[in-house]
Amino acid sequence: MMQTASEPASVAKPDTVQATARLMQLEAGLYCLFHAALSAPTRFGKLTGMRVSVPPGNDGVRVSTFDAQGWIGASGGAALVMVAAGGGAVLVTTYREPDAPGELPALQIVRLGSPAAARPATEPARGAQAAPAPGSMIAHIQHRGDVRAELGAWMGESGSGHWLEGFAIQPAPGVAPADLEYQAILGQDWFSPWVSGGAYCGSRGMALPLLGLRVRLKGAAAEACECEVEASFTDGSRIGPVADAPVMAATQAPLEAFRVVVRPKHPVQPPAPAQGDAGMEDQVLDALAPPVAPAPPVGRVRRGRRVPPQQRREPSGAVEAAQDDAPPEKTKRKAQASPGQPVPWWHRKPGGAAVSPARSPRRGGATPRRPGVLAGS
C-alpha cells in the first residue's frame, strides 16, 4: 500500500538504553574489579551490564577482562587493572535496559599488589599467545611466562612456588574443541565464564594467581570419554583426580600445577591377528599327526623270552613268501620244522628223493640221530 502526501510517514522508534559513565582514579598497583554477590537470583538482559575501559590519555593503565571488549556484564564478570607508577584512571560505563529488573549489583575493588608488583603497562607479556596444538596445553606461569605441555602431562612444577595466571587446553583429535569446556577459579564462589577448547582462560603478566580450575566434557565426548583433573597448590596441598568438579585448595592457595587426563570410557581391544592359509594348514597337520611314542629309557633293556619256531603262528602266504626270499640255510631249517611243506630242490638227492630231516635226540636213552649220507660219499 502506498502512502499519500497527506498521510504522515511512520517513524521507527529505536530501542533505548540508559548509559552512565564514571571515571575511577587509581594509584599505582594491581586491582581486581568485580560484582558483589546478589542477594537473590536475577535475570538481566544482554544489554544490561558494565564495561571497563581505558580512557584517552592513560597510557600507563592496562585492563584485562574475559571479554575482548572489556565487557563484564551484570553479574559473574571481573576485570583486572594494572596501573603503572604515577597512577591512572579507568572508565566504568553502566548500561541498563528500560525494562531491566531491579538494580545492578555494586562494583567492588580489591587491591592485589603493591606498586612494585605492577610492571609498566608498556611491557609486553612474555611468551607466545598462540593457541596450543591439538592434544596440548599452554599456561602463563609466574616468573616463567608461557609454557607448553602435552595433554595428560603436568602443567607447572609442584613445589616451585610459582602460581599460574591463565591457561588454554586443546583436546586431542577425536574430541571436538566445542565438547571440552573449562573455567578458572579466581576466589571463593568466583568463577570465570566457561570457554571452549583452545581458548585462553585467565590473565597474562598481571600477577593475578588462579586459585583453581574446572574442566568438563559435553556432547558426544561426554558419552565416549571421561575427564579427570589433578592439581597441586603453593601451600603443598594436592587434590584429585576428580571429574567435573571445582579443584581448589581449602586454604585458597594459588594454583601451582595441574594435569588433565581425557581417556575413553571403554578402551578398544586390539583385534586378534588374522590367521592365513599357512596357519590353518599347520593346525590341520598338528591335529592329524600320529602320537609320538615315548623314547625308551636309557640303560640296560631286558629282553623277553625267545619263542621257538614251532610255537610261532604265521599266515601260510607269509611263510611261502618268506621261504622264496630266504637264504638256503633258513629255508632248510623251516623245512625241517614243517615236514608237510615241499622240500626245496637244493635239499633233494640226485634220484629225486628228499633228504630226511634229522631228528633231535630223545631224552631217557633214546636212539641217537644218525648223520645223513650224501650221494657219492
Side-chain angles (χ1 to χ4, degrees), residues 39-63:
S39 57
T42 306
R43 185 182 182 87
F44 296 98
K46 295 182 178 181
L47 297 178
T48 299
M50 295 182 181
R51 182 176 183 269
V52 180
S53 59
V54 179
N58 287 264
D59 298 335
V61 179
R62 186 175 169 194
V63 177

mmCIF file of all heavy atoms in Angstrom, residues 39-63:
data_model
loop_
_atom_site.group_PDB
_atom_site.id
_atom_site.type_symbol
_atom_site.label_atom_id
_atom_site.label_comp_id
_atom_site.label_asym_id
_atom_site.label_seq_id
_atom_site.Cartn_x
_atom_site.Cartn_y
_atom_site.Cartn_z
ATOM 1 N N SER A 39 21.816 -10.900 46.244
ATOM 2 C CA SER A 39 21.035 -11.486 47.346
ATOM 3 C C SER A 39 20.030 -12.514 46.837
ATOM 4 O O SER A 39 19.664 -13.443 47.558
ATOM 5 C CB SER A 39 20.294 -10.377 48.100
ATOM 6 O OG SER A 39 19.458 -9.638 47.198
ATOM 7 N N ALA A 40 19.548 -12.343 45.606
ATOM 8 C CA ALA A 40 18.590 -13.282 45.005
ATOM 9 C C ALA A 40 18.910 -13.416 43.522
ATOM 10 O O ALA A 40 19.391 -12.469 42.900
ATOM 11 C CB ALA A 40 17.151 -12.792 45.193
ATOM 12 N N PRO A 41 18.689 -14.589 42.958
ATOM 13 C CA PRO A 41 18.952 -14.760 41.520
ATOM 14 C C PRO A 41 18.117 -13.787 40.682
ATOM 15 O O PRO A 41 16.902 -13.669 40.871
ATOM 16 C CB PRO A 41 18.554 -16.214 41.254
ATOM 17 C CG PRO A 41 18.587 -16.877 42.588
ATOM 18 C CD PRO A 41 18.215 -15.841 43.589
ATOM 19 N N THR A 42 18.796 -13.080 39.785
ATOM 20 C CA THR A 42 18.134 -12.091 38.935
ATOM 21 C C THR A 42 18.581 -12.289 37.502
ATOM 22 O O THR A 42 19.763 -12.531 37.245
ATOM 23 C CB THR A 42 18.466 -10.660 39.392
ATOM 24 O OG1 THR A 42 18.156 -10.523 40.781
ATOM 25 C CG2 THR A 42 17.670 -9.643 38.594
ATOM 26 N N ARG A 43 17.637 -12.173 36.583
ATOM 27 C CA ARG A 43 17.934 -12.353 35.169
ATOM 28 C C ARG A 43 17.988 -10.984 34.495
ATOM 29 O O ARG A 43 17.000 -10.240 34.505
ATOM 30 C CB ARG A 43 16.868 -13.241 34.508
ATOM 31 C CG ARG A 43 17.166 -13.590 33.056
ATOM 32 C CD ARG A 43 16.032 -14.419 32.476
ATOM 33 N NE ARG A 43 16.307 -14.809 31.109
ATOM 34 C CZ ARG A 43 16.977 -15.901 30.749
ATOM 35 N NH1 ARG A 43 17.432 -16.717 31.684
ATOM 36 N NH2 ARG A 43 17.191 -16.186 29.488
ATOM 37 N N PHE A 44 19.141 -10.668 33.908
ATOM 38 C CA PHE A 44 19.322 -9.400 33.223
ATOM 39 C C PHE A 44 19.397 -9.650 31.718
ATOM 40 O O PHE A 44 19.768 -10.730 31.258
ATOM 41 C CB PHE A 44 20.611 -8.703 33.681
ATOM 42 C CG PHE A 44 20.592 -8.318 35.144
ATOM 43 C CD1 PHE A 44 21.199 -9.120 36.095
ATOM 44 C CD2 PHE A 44 19.979 -7.142 35.555
ATOM 45 C CE1 PHE A 44 21.188 -8.771 37.428
ATOM 46 C CE2 PHE A 44 19.969 -6.777 36.893
ATOM 47 C CZ PHE A 44 20.570 -7.594 37.841
ATOM 48 N N GLY A 45 19.075 -8.598 30.950
ATOM 49 C CA GLY A 45 19.151 -8.679 29.510
ATOM 50 C C GLY A 45 20.584 -8.621 29.014
ATOM 51 O O GLY A 45 21.530 -8.358 29.778
ATOM 52 N N LYS A 46 20.751 -8.858 27.732
ATOM 53 C CA LYS A 46 22.092 -8.872 27.165
ATOM 54 C C LYS A 46 22.740 -7.492 27.153
ATOM 55 O O LYS A 46 23.966 -7.380 27.148
ATOM 56 C CB LYS A 46 22.048 -9.440 25.747
ATOM 57 C CG LYS A 46 21.644 -10.903 25.675
ATOM 58 C CD LYS A 46 21.667 -11.395 24.241
ATOM 59 C CE LYS A 46 21.313 -12.869 24.164
ATOM 60 N NZ LYS A 46 21.358 -13.387 22.773
ATOM 61 N N LEU A 47 21.931 -6.444 27.111
ATOM 62 C CA LEU A 47 22.479 -5.092 27.050
ATOM 63 C C LEU A 47 22.590 -4.436 28.420
ATOM 64 O O LEU A 47 22.916 -3.257 28.509
ATOM 65 C CB LEU A 47 21.608 -4.217 26.131
ATOM 66 C CG LEU A 47 21.540 -4.655 24.670
ATOM 67 C CD1 LEU A 47 20.618 -3.735 23.886
ATOM 68 C CD2 LEU A 47 22.931 -4.667 24.065
ATOM 69 N N THR A 48 22.325 -5.161 29.459
ATOM 70 C CA THR A 48 22.446 -4.630 30.816
ATOM 71 C C THR A 48 23.742 -5.142 31.422
ATOM 72 O O THR A 48 23.981 -6.351 31.464
ATOM 73 C CB THR A 48 21.250 -5.048 31.686
ATOM 74 O OG1 THR A 48 20.056 -4.531 31.104
ATOM 75 C CG2 THR A 48 21.390 -4.519 33.096
ATOM 76 N N GLY A 49 24.580 -4.219 31.883
ATOM 77 C CA GLY A 49 25.841 -4.606 32.487
ATOM 78 C C GLY A 49 26.812 -3.453 32.532
ATOM 79 O O GLY A 49 26.441 -2.281 32.368
ATOM 80 N N MET A 50 28.105 -3.794 32.733
ATOM 81 C CA MET A 50 29.165 -2.804 32.856
ATOM 82 C C MET A 50 30.301 -3.114 31.896
ATOM 83 O O MET A 50 30.529 -4.272 31.528
ATOM 84 C CB MET A 50 29.715 -2.761 34.286
ATOM 85 C CG MET A 50 28.727 -2.300 35.330
ATOM 86 S SD MET A 50 29.467 -2.213 36.962
ATOM 87 C CE MET A 50 28.054 -1.689 37.944
ATOM 88 N N ARG A 51 31.018 -2.061 31.554
ATOM 89 C CA ARG A 51 32.182 -2.177 30.696
ATOM 90 C C ARG A 51 33.295 -1.329 31.288
ATOM 91 O O ARG A 51 33.095 -0.161 31.621
ATOM 92 C CB ARG A 51 31.864 -1.714 29.273
ATOM 93 C CG ARG A 51 33.019 -1.844 28.298
ATOM 94 C CD ARG A 51 32.575 -1.453 26.901
ATOM 95 N NE ARG A 51 33.640 -1.626 25.927
ATOM 96 C CZ ARG A 51 34.504 -0.662 25.592
ATOM 97 N NH1 ARG A 51 34.401 0.543 26.153
ATOM 98 N NH2 ARG A 51 35.443 -0.888 24.696
ATOM 99 N N VAL A 52 34.476 -1.931 31.419
ATOM 100 C CA VAL A 52 35.650 -1.242 31.968
ATOM 101 C C VAL A 52 36.636 -1.038 30.828
ATOM 102 O O VAL A 52 37.015 -2.006 30.156
ATOM 103 C CB VAL A 52 36.290 -2.050 33.112
ATOM 104 C CG1 VAL A 52 37.502 -1.328 33.676
ATOM 105 C CG2 VAL A 52 35.273 -2.326 34.209
ATOM 106 N N SER A 53 37.059 0.194 30.613
ATOM 107 C CA SER A 53 37.960 0.527 29.513
ATOM 108 C C SER A 53 38.959 1.581 29.969
ATOM 109 O O SER A 53 38.827 2.168 31.053
ATOM 110 C CB SER A 53 37.166 1.031 28.296
ATOM 111 O OG SER A 53 36.403 2.172 28.645
ATOM 112 N N VAL A 54 39.951 1.793 29.136
ATOM 113 C CA VAL A 54 40.988 2.787 29.422
ATOM 114 C C VAL A 54 40.611 4.089 28.711
ATOM 115 O O VAL A 54 40.444 4.101 27.487
ATOM 116 C CB VAL A 54 42.363 2.284 28.953
ATOM 117 C CG1 VAL A 54 43.436 3.325 29.238
ATOM 118 C CG2 VAL A 54 42.694 0.956 29.630
ATOM 119 N N PRO A 55 40.475 5.164 29.450
ATOM 120 C CA PRO A 55 40.142 6.437 28.805
ATOM 121 C C PRO A 55 41.345 6.999 28.053
ATOM 122 O O PRO A 55 42.490 6.594 28.288
ATOM 123 C CB PRO A 55 39.737 7.331 29.981
ATOM 124 C CG PRO A 55 40.467 6.763 31.142
ATOM 125 C CD PRO A 55 40.568 5.286 30.907
ATOM 126 N N PRO A 56 41.126 7.906 27.128
ATOM 127 C CA PRO A 56 42.256 8.510 26.397
ATOM 128 C C PRO A 56 43.202 9.242 27.346
ATOM 129 O O PRO A 56 42.792 9.820 28.353
ATOM 130 C CB PRO A 56 41.563 9.491 25.438
ATOM 131 C CG PRO A 56 40.161 8.993 25.322
ATOM 132 C CD PRO A 56 39.825 8.381 26.638
ATOM 133 N N GLY A 57 44.478 9.169 27.015
ATOM 134 C CA GLY A 57 45.490 9.847 27.804
ATOM 135 C C GLY A 57 46.013 9.066 28.987
ATOM 136 O O GLY A 57 46.776 9.615 29.795
ATOM 137 N N ASN A 58 45.637 7.807 29.149
ATOM 138 C CA ASN A 58 46.106 6.979 30.256
ATOM 139 C C ASN A 58 46.878 5.784 29.693
ATOM 140 O O ASN A 58 46.417 4.633 29.741
ATOM 141 C CB ASN A 58 44.942 6.508 31.112
ATOM 142 C CG ASN A 58 44.345 7.610 31.969
ATOM 143 O OD1 ASN A 58 44.680 7.753 33.138
ATOM 144 N ND2 ASN A 58 43.446 8.392 31.382
ATOM 145 N N ASP A 59 48.034 6.061 29.149
ATOM 146 C CA ASP A 59 48.839 5.007 28.542
ATOM 147 C C ASP A 59 49.452 4.067 29.580
ATOM 148 O O ASP A 59 49.877 2.963 29.229
ATOM 149 C CB ASP A 59 49.948 5.625 27.694
ATOM 150 C CG ASP A 59 49.395 6.455 26.548
ATOM 151 O OD1 ASP A 59 48.251 6.170 26.123
ATOM 152 O OD2 ASP A 59 50.102 7.372 26.091
ATOM 153 N N GLY A 60 49.520 4.497 30.833
ATOM 154 C CA GLY A 60 50.114 3.659 31.872
ATOM 155 C C GLY A 60 49.121 2.718 32.523
ATOM 156 O O GLY A 60 49.462 2.097 33.536
ATOM 157 N N VAL A 61 47.907 2.599 31.981
ATOM 158 C CA VAL A 61 46.876 1.738 32.548
ATOM 159 C C VAL A 61 46.594 0.595 31.577
ATOM 160 O O VAL A 61 46.497 0.813 30.366
ATOM 161 C CB VAL A 61 45.583 2.534 32.830
ATOM 162 C CG1 VAL A 61 44.506 1.609 33.391
ATOM 163 C CG2 VAL A 61 45.869 3.665 33.805
ATOM 164 N N ARG A 62 46.446 -0.560 32.140
ATOM 165 C CA ARG A 62 46.177 -1.748 31.324
ATOM 166 C C ARG A 62 45.007 -2.513 31.923
ATOM 167 O O ARG A 62 44.990 -2.790 33.137
ATOM 168 C CB ARG A 62 47.422 -2.623 31.279
ATOM 169 C CG ARG A 62 47.320 -3.807 30.344
ATOM 170 C CD ARG A 62 48.642 -4.508 30.304
ATOM 171 N NE ARG A 62 48.548 -5.782 29.637
ATOM 172 C CZ ARG A 62 49.482 -6.703 29.686
ATOM 173 N NH1 ARG A 62 50.584 -6.480 30.382
ATOM 174 N NH2 ARG A 62 49.335 -7.839 29.043
ATOM 175 N N VAL A 63 44.001 -2.884 31.105
ATOM 176 C CA VAL A 63 42.790 -3.579 31.546
ATOM 177 C C VAL A 63 42.724 -4.929 30.854
ATOM 178 O O VAL A 63 42.936 -5.028 29.635
ATOM 179 C CB VAL A 63 41.529 -2.748 31.239
ATOM 180 C CG1 VAL A 63 40.268 -3.523 31.650
ATOM 181 C CG2 VAL A 63 41.576 -1.412 31.963
#
